Short mmCIF file of all heavy atoms in Angstrom, two decimals:
data_model
loop_
_atom_site.label_atom_id
_atom_site.label_comp_id
_atom_site.label_asym_id
_atom_site.label_seq_id
_atom_site.Cartn_x
_atom_site.Cartn_y
_atom_site.Cartn_z
N ASP A 201 123.16 85.89 109.86
CA ASP A 201 124.23 86.42 109.00
C ASP A 201 125.16 87.29 109.85
O ASP A 201 125.03 88.52 109.86
CB ASP A 201 123.61 87.23 107.86
CG ASP A 201 124.64 87.81 106.89
OD1 ASP A 201 125.84 87.45 107.00
OD2 ASP A 201 124.25 88.62 106.03
N PRO A 202 126.08 86.67 110.59
CA PRO A 202 126.94 87.40 111.53
C PRO A 202 127.80 88.50 110.89
O PRO A 202 128.27 89.39 111.60
CB PRO A 202 127.83 86.32 112.13
CG PRO A 202 127.13 85.04 111.86
CD PRO A 202 126.33 85.24 110.61
N GLN A 203 128.00 88.45 109.61
CA GLN A 203 128.84 89.44 108.93
C GLN A 203 128.03 90.58 108.30
O GLN A 203 128.60 91.40 107.58
CB GLN A 203 129.68 88.75 107.86
CG GLN A 203 130.55 87.62 108.39
CD GLN A 203 131.50 88.07 109.48
OE1 GLN A 203 132.12 89.13 109.39
NE2 GLN A 203 131.62 87.27 110.53
N ASN A 204 126.74 90.64 108.57
CA ASN A 204 125.88 91.64 107.94
C ASN A 204 126.24 93.04 108.45
O ASN A 204 125.94 93.40 109.60
CB ASN A 204 124.41 91.32 108.22
CG ASN A 204 123.47 92.20 107.43
OD1 ASN A 204 123.51 93.41 107.56
ND2 ASN A 204 122.61 91.58 106.64
N ILE A 205 126.88 93.79 107.61
CA ILE A 205 127.37 95.14 107.98
C ILE A 205 126.21 96.08 108.29
O ILE A 205 126.29 96.88 109.22
CB ILE A 205 128.26 95.72 106.85
CG1 ILE A 205 129.47 94.81 106.59
CG2 ILE A 205 128.68 97.14 107.16
CD1 ILE A 205 130.41 94.68 107.76
N ASP A 206 125.15 96.01 107.51
CA ASP A 206 124.01 96.90 107.74
C ASP A 206 123.41 96.68 109.12
O ASP A 206 123.11 97.64 109.84
CB ASP A 206 122.94 96.70 106.66
CG ASP A 206 123.39 97.17 105.29
OD1 ASP A 206 124.20 98.13 105.22
OD2 ASP A 206 122.95 96.58 104.29
N ALA A 207 123.24 95.42 109.51
CA ALA A 207 122.70 95.12 110.83
C ALA A 207 123.64 95.62 111.93
O ALA A 207 123.19 96.17 112.93
CB ALA A 207 122.46 93.62 110.97
N GLN A 208 124.94 95.45 111.72
CA GLN A 208 125.92 95.93 112.70
C GLN A 208 125.84 97.45 112.85
O GLN A 208 125.90 97.98 113.96
CB GLN A 208 127.33 95.51 112.28
CG GLN A 208 127.55 94.01 112.35
CD GLN A 208 128.90 93.59 111.75
OE1 GLN A 208 129.74 94.41 111.44
NE2 GLN A 208 129.07 92.28 111.61
N LYS A 209 125.69 98.14 111.73
CA LYS A 209 125.59 99.61 111.76
C LYS A 209 124.31 100.06 112.45
O LYS A 209 124.32 101.04 113.21
CB LYS A 209 125.65 100.17 110.35
CG LYS A 209 127.02 100.09 109.72
CD LYS A 209 127.00 100.65 108.30
CE LYS A 209 128.36 100.55 107.63
NZ LYS A 209 128.33 101.07 106.25
N ILE A 210 123.22 99.36 112.20
CA ILE A 210 121.94 99.72 112.82
C ILE A 210 122.03 99.55 114.33
O ILE A 210 121.58 100.41 115.10
CB ILE A 210 120.79 98.89 112.22
CG1 ILE A 210 120.51 99.39 110.79
CG2 ILE A 210 119.54 98.96 113.08
CD1 ILE A 210 119.60 98.49 109.98
N ILE A 211 122.63 98.45 114.77
CA ILE A 211 122.79 98.22 116.21
C ILE A 211 123.64 99.32 116.84
O ILE A 211 123.28 99.87 117.88
CB ILE A 211 123.39 96.83 116.48
CG1 ILE A 211 122.36 95.75 116.12
CG2 ILE A 211 123.84 96.70 117.93
CD1 ILE A 211 122.92 94.34 116.10
N ALA A 212 124.74 99.64 116.21
CA ALA A 212 125.61 100.69 116.75
C ALA A 212 124.89 102.04 116.81
O ALA A 212 124.97 102.75 117.82
CB ALA A 212 126.88 100.80 115.91
N ALA A 213 124.16 102.38 115.76
CA ALA A 213 123.45 103.66 115.72
C ALA A 213 122.34 103.69 116.77
O ALA A 213 122.17 104.70 117.48
CB ALA A 213 122.88 103.90 114.33
N ALA A 214 121.58 102.62 116.87
CA ALA A 214 120.48 102.57 117.83
C ALA A 214 121.01 102.65 119.27
O ALA A 214 120.45 103.37 120.10
CB ALA A 214 119.66 101.31 117.63
N LYS A 215 122.09 101.93 119.56
CA LYS A 215 122.66 101.96 120.91
C LYS A 215 123.21 103.35 121.23
O LYS A 215 123.09 103.82 122.37
CB LYS A 215 123.72 100.89 121.07
CG LYS A 215 123.12 99.50 121.17
CD LYS A 215 124.18 98.44 121.44
CE LYS A 215 123.53 97.08 121.65
NZ LYS A 215 124.52 96.04 121.98
N ALA A 216 123.79 104.01 120.25
CA ALA A 216 124.28 105.37 120.47
C ALA A 216 123.13 106.32 120.77
O ALA A 216 123.22 107.18 121.65
CB ALA A 216 125.07 105.85 119.26
N LYS A 217 122.03 106.17 120.04
CA LYS A 217 120.85 107.01 120.27
C LYS A 217 120.27 106.74 121.65
O LYS A 217 119.90 107.68 122.37
CB LYS A 217 119.78 106.76 119.21
CG LYS A 217 120.18 107.17 117.82
CD LYS A 217 119.99 108.65 117.63
CE LYS A 217 120.18 109.02 116.16
NZ LYS A 217 119.91 110.42 115.91
N LEU A 218 120.17 105.46 122.03
CA LEU A 218 119.65 105.12 123.36
C LEU A 218 120.53 105.69 124.46
O LEU A 218 120.03 106.20 125.47
CB LEU A 218 119.54 103.60 123.50
CG LEU A 218 118.39 102.95 122.74
CD1 LEU A 218 118.56 101.44 122.71
CD2 LEU A 218 117.05 103.32 123.37
N LYS A 219 121.84 105.62 124.26
CA LYS A 219 122.76 106.17 125.26
C LYS A 219 122.59 107.69 125.37
O LYS A 219 122.55 108.23 126.47
CB LYS A 219 124.21 105.83 124.88
CG LYS A 219 125.22 106.33 125.87
CD LYS A 219 126.64 105.97 125.48
CE LYS A 219 127.62 106.55 126.47
NZ LYS A 219 129.00 106.33 126.08
N ALA A 220 122.47 108.35 124.24
CA ALA A 220 122.29 109.81 124.24
C ALA A 220 120.98 110.19 124.93
O ALA A 220 120.95 111.16 125.71
CB ALA A 220 122.33 110.35 122.82
N LEU A 221 119.92 109.43 124.67
CA LEU A 221 118.64 109.71 125.32
C LEU A 221 118.74 109.51 126.83
O LEU A 221 118.22 110.31 127.61
CB LEU A 221 117.55 108.80 124.75
CG LEU A 221 117.05 109.14 123.35
CD1 LEU A 221 116.11 108.05 122.85
CD2 LEU A 221 116.34 110.49 123.34
N ALA A 222 119.41 108.46 127.26
CA ALA A 222 119.57 108.19 128.68
C ALA A 222 120.38 109.29 129.35
O ALA A 222 120.05 109.75 130.46
CB ALA A 222 120.24 106.83 128.89
N GLU A 223 121.43 109.74 128.69
CA GLU A 223 122.26 110.81 129.24
C GLU A 223 121.46 112.11 129.33
O GLU A 223 121.58 112.85 130.30
CB GLU A 223 123.51 111.00 128.40
CG GLU A 223 124.51 109.87 128.56
CD GLU A 223 125.68 109.94 127.60
OE1 GLU A 223 125.70 110.81 126.71
OE2 GLU A 223 126.60 109.10 127.74
N GLN A 224 120.62 112.37 128.34
CA GLN A 224 119.81 113.59 128.34
C GLN A 224 118.78 113.53 129.47
O GLN A 224 118.56 114.51 130.17
CB GLN A 224 119.10 113.78 127.00
CG GLN A 224 118.30 115.07 126.92
CD GLN A 224 119.15 116.31 127.09
OE1 GLN A 224 120.15 116.46 126.41
NE2 GLN A 224 118.75 117.19 127.99
N LYS A 225 118.16 112.37 129.65
CA LYS A 225 117.19 112.22 130.74
C LYS A 225 117.86 112.41 132.09
O LYS A 225 117.30 113.04 132.98
CB LYS A 225 116.52 110.86 130.67
CG LYS A 225 115.49 110.76 129.57
CD LYS A 225 114.81 109.40 129.58
CE LYS A 225 113.81 109.29 128.45
NZ LYS A 225 113.12 107.99 128.45
N ALA A 226 119.06 111.86 132.25
CA ALA A 226 119.79 112.01 133.50
C ALA A 226 120.13 113.48 133.74
O ALA A 226 119.99 113.98 134.87
CB ALA A 226 121.06 111.17 133.48
N GLN A 227 120.53 114.18 132.70
CA GLN A 227 120.86 115.59 132.84
C GLN A 227 119.61 116.40 133.17
O GLN A 227 119.66 117.29 134.02
CB GLN A 227 121.51 116.12 131.55
CG GLN A 227 121.96 117.55 131.63
CD GLN A 227 123.02 117.78 132.71
OE1 GLN A 227 123.89 116.95 132.91
NE2 GLN A 227 122.94 118.88 133.40
N ASP A 228 118.50 116.09 132.52
CA ASP A 228 117.24 116.79 132.80
C ASP A 228 116.81 116.57 134.24
O ASP A 228 116.36 117.50 134.91
CB ASP A 228 116.13 116.32 131.84
CG ASP A 228 116.36 116.76 130.41
OD1 ASP A 228 117.24 117.62 130.16
OD2 ASP A 228 115.65 116.22 129.52
N LEU A 229 116.95 115.32 134.71
CA LEU A 229 116.59 115.00 136.08
C LEU A 229 117.48 115.76 137.06
O LEU A 229 117.01 116.35 138.02
CB LEU A 229 116.69 113.50 136.32
CG LEU A 229 116.35 113.01 137.72
CD1 LEU A 229 114.92 113.37 138.09
CD2 LEU A 229 116.56 111.51 137.80
N LYS A 230 118.77 115.77 136.78
CA LYS A 230 119.72 116.47 137.64
C LYS A 230 119.40 117.97 137.68
O LYS A 230 119.38 118.58 138.74
CB LYS A 230 121.15 116.26 137.14
CG LYS A 230 122.21 116.88 137.99
CD LYS A 230 123.59 116.58 137.44
CE LYS A 230 124.67 117.28 138.22
NZ LYS A 230 126.01 117.03 137.66
N SER A 231 119.11 118.54 136.53
CA SER A 231 118.76 119.97 136.46
C SER A 231 117.48 120.25 137.23
O SER A 231 117.38 121.25 137.94
CB SER A 231 118.60 120.41 135.01
OG SER A 231 119.81 120.32 134.32
N GLY A 232 116.51 119.37 137.09
CA GLY A 232 115.25 119.54 137.80
C GLY A 232 115.44 119.48 139.31
O GLY A 232 114.85 120.27 140.05
N LEU A 233 116.27 118.56 139.76
CA LEU A 233 116.53 118.44 141.19
C LEU A 233 117.28 119.66 141.71
O LEU A 233 117.03 120.13 142.82
CB LEU A 233 117.31 117.17 141.50
CG LEU A 233 116.55 115.85 141.29
CD1 LEU A 233 117.48 114.67 141.49
CD2 LEU A 233 115.36 115.76 142.23
#
Side-chain angles (χ1 to χ4, degrees):
D201 181 9
Q203 303 303 317
N204 188 302
I205 300 297
D206 292 329
Q208 293 172 9
K209 288 179 181 179
I210 288 168
I211 290 170
K215 286 184 176 183
K217 294 279 189 176
L218 286 168
K219 182 179 177 185
L221 286 172
E223 289 172 354
Q224 183 61 51
K225 285 182 182 181
Q227 184 61 38
D228 291 348
L229 180 59
K230 183 178 176 182
S231 295
L233 291 174

